[in-house]
């Protein structure tokens, strides 16, 4: 069981229907188009979007170094909610398994994403992820066209 220590909460509103925003998180080709932060690409993403199914995302730096993020889907309610575990695979980084919950609310062509990322052992790790998630969500905004 994941012990909640420090929690990050981010809300963003997108000009796109919930179904499209939800699909951007759950379809590998879509995820590869917007995921990541400056200086990184996502050359591969494997996703078994089912409760208990696993995902693995490769992030590659501009210098060619690859590292991975993986986890399992805990809850899937299209297009309302997505919950998954989150863990970096980096031998040089002792990263604990954390939990990400994403709620998709709204009507018509407007969707609010509420992202809750919990289980950080300290403020520094939480704050680093706030920056990363903020960049990812701006990339998502561009991917969705607004």
């Amino acid at each position: 069981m994941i012990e909640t220590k420090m929690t990050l909460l981010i809300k963003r509103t997108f000009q796109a229907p919930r179904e499209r925003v939800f699909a951007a998180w759950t379809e590998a080709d879509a995820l590869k188009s917007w995921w990541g932060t400056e200086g990184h690409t996502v050359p591969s993403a494997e996703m078994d979007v089912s409760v208990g199914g696993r995902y693995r995302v490769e992030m590659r730096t501009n210098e060619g170094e690859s590292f991975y993020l993986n986890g399992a889907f805990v809850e899937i309610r299209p297009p309302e909610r997505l919950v998954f575990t989150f863990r970096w695979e980096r031998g040089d980084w002792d990263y604990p398994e954390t939990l990400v919950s994403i709620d998709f609310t709204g009507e018509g062509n407007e969707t609010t994403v509420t992202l809750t990322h919990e289980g950080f052992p300290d403020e520094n790790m939480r704050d680093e992820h706030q920056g990363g998630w903020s960049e990812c969500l701006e990339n998502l905004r561009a991917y969705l066209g607004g």
Side-chain angles (χ1 to χ4, degrees), residues 2-10 86-88 93-100 115-133:
I2 296 171
E3 178 184 342
T4 300
K5 296 177 181 176
M6 306 228 69
T7 299
L8 170 62
L9 177 68
I10 299 176
F86 183 104
R87 184 176 181 108
W88 291 105
W93 193 15
D94 184 24
Y95 188 87
E97 182 175 82
T98 55
L99 187 70
V100 176
L115 183 147
T116 307
H117 193 161
E118 57 189 297
F120 295 110
D122 58 51
E123 290 180 14
N124 183 53
M125 189 175 283
R126 180 199 60 199
D127 294 348
E128 286 177 1
H129 282 81
Q130 181 169 359
W133 280 122

